[in-house]
Amino acid sequence: MSKTIERAFRFFDVDSSGVVRSRNGSLTWPAIGEWVEFAGKVEKCRSGLHASPTVLAALTCRQGSTLGCVEADGIEDRDHEKFACRRMRIVALYSRQHVVGLAALAAALSLKFFESEYPADMRPRKAILACLRWVASKPGSAADAAADASVAAASVADASAYAAAVSAASAASVAAASAASVADASAASAADAAWRSADASADARTEWRDEFNVSAIELLALPASRIGAFVRSKLPIRKGGRRAKA
């Protein structure tokens, strides 16, 4: 059993009154900073308090709609994606803009691999920028409605080449509660098909994963107003051009 308090990530459900609950089970979480303790047998995927060591792993194992940062104590059972422990407290809960920003970040960091194979296909890049316009918009606005539908298309720029990124994109798309339009769905399918034919090496996948986990921590520390600029800074510069503005 680990005796060191570890910082980790997991998803929660938060209702309209602000009550925080676990998706599985009946646990209602107390205020941020207050510890929750589990007295029974701790077993990963069965019992105890669960979280993931990285943002990407949390997205992959998503159980809920709101991403949070937690501190965990008394870890007794773990693998590379998640662990179960005896004590946990919420440190921070992140906005919907942050989760959608993570989807855009996942796509932005993989775009260099896509565009090296398909330099003329601008659809994934445009979908990322549409996603960032949503992040910068006010919920309920016209920009919200238009860009919300592009989250899935933006996310799948990574697609089948990186299975973990697909999980991240899926989590963010669900969190955004978007239903892609016909045009966006077509763009998403095109990007997915392109990635299926791309030959991404194991080294490239590792590079993407490591860069995403580091960059995700930086993104989550930002106010929502700065997420767009941060993700745009991660877009590869096109030959003979500049990074586009959202």
Side-chain angles (χ1 to χ4, degrees):
M1 179 178 71
S2 172
K3 296 182 179 180
T4 303
I5 295 176
E6 295 188 23
R7 184 67 59 98
F9 301 89
R10 58 164 290 161
F11 276 81
F12 303 89
D13 283 325
V14 182
D15 66 20
S16 58
S17 62
V19 176
V20 181
R21 293 186 174 88
S22 294
R23 171 67 59 89
N24 294 323
S26 58
L27 177 61
T28 297
W29 290 75
I32 290 176
E34 294 186 15
W35 287 97
V36 171
E37 298 194 13
F38 181 80
K41 179 182 178 180
V42 174
E43 186 177 358
K44 180 172 55 66
C45 300
R46 292 182 178 273
S47 58
L49 303 168
H50 291 73
S52 296
T54 66
V55 176
L56 180 58
L59 289 164
T60 303
C61 300
R62 181 190 60 80
Q63 294 289 331
S65 58
T66 300
L67 177 63
C69 178
V70 299
E71 288 183 340
D73 186 25
I75 298 173
E76 296 189 13
D77 192 11
R78 71 161 75 216
D79 60 25
H80 68 286
E81 285 193 339
K82 59 186 172 182
F83 59 75
C85 68
R86 292 203 170 276
R87 299 176 71 231
M88 187 176 291
R89 64 180 177 183
I90 300 173
V91 176
L93 293 174
Y94 301 106
S95 71
R96 184 182 179 208
Q97 283 92 336
H98 283 88
V99 177
V100 174
L102 290 172
L105 177 65
L109 293 177
S110 64
L111 196 59
K112 61 185 176 183
F113 302 111
F114 178 86
E115 291 186 342
S116 68
E117 296 289 331
Y118 305 93
D121 193 340
M122 291 288 291
R123 287 173 294 182
R125 183 179 287 261
K126 288 180 178 178
I128 293 169
L129 295 175
C131 184
L132 296 180
R133 285 195 292 275
W134 178 87
V135 171
S137 70
K138 294 181 179 179
S141 68
D144 183 348
D148 208 23
S150 296
V151 173
S155 302
V156 297
D158 176 64
S160 300
Y162 307 115
V166 172
S167 299
S170 174
S173 296
V174 170
S178 66
S181 66
V182 174
D184 289 326
S186 297
S189 298
D192 186 42
W195 269 115
R196 286 181 185 278
S197 63
D199 182 19
S201 68
D203 287 344
R205 291 195 295 272
T206 299
E207 176 188 338
W208 176 87
R209 182 194 64 217
D210 292 346
E211 187 175 6
F212 175 82
N213 279 322
V214 171
S215 297
I217 297 296
E218 297 179 58
L219 184 151
L220 292 175
L222 297 173
S225 61
R226 294 178 57 191
I227 291 173
F230 178 78
V231 175
R232 285 195 299 274
S233 75
K234 302 296 182 179
L235 288 170
I237 298 176
R238 291 178 59 81
K239 292 183 178 179
R242 296 178 296 178
R243 293 188 181 94
K245 294 183 179 179

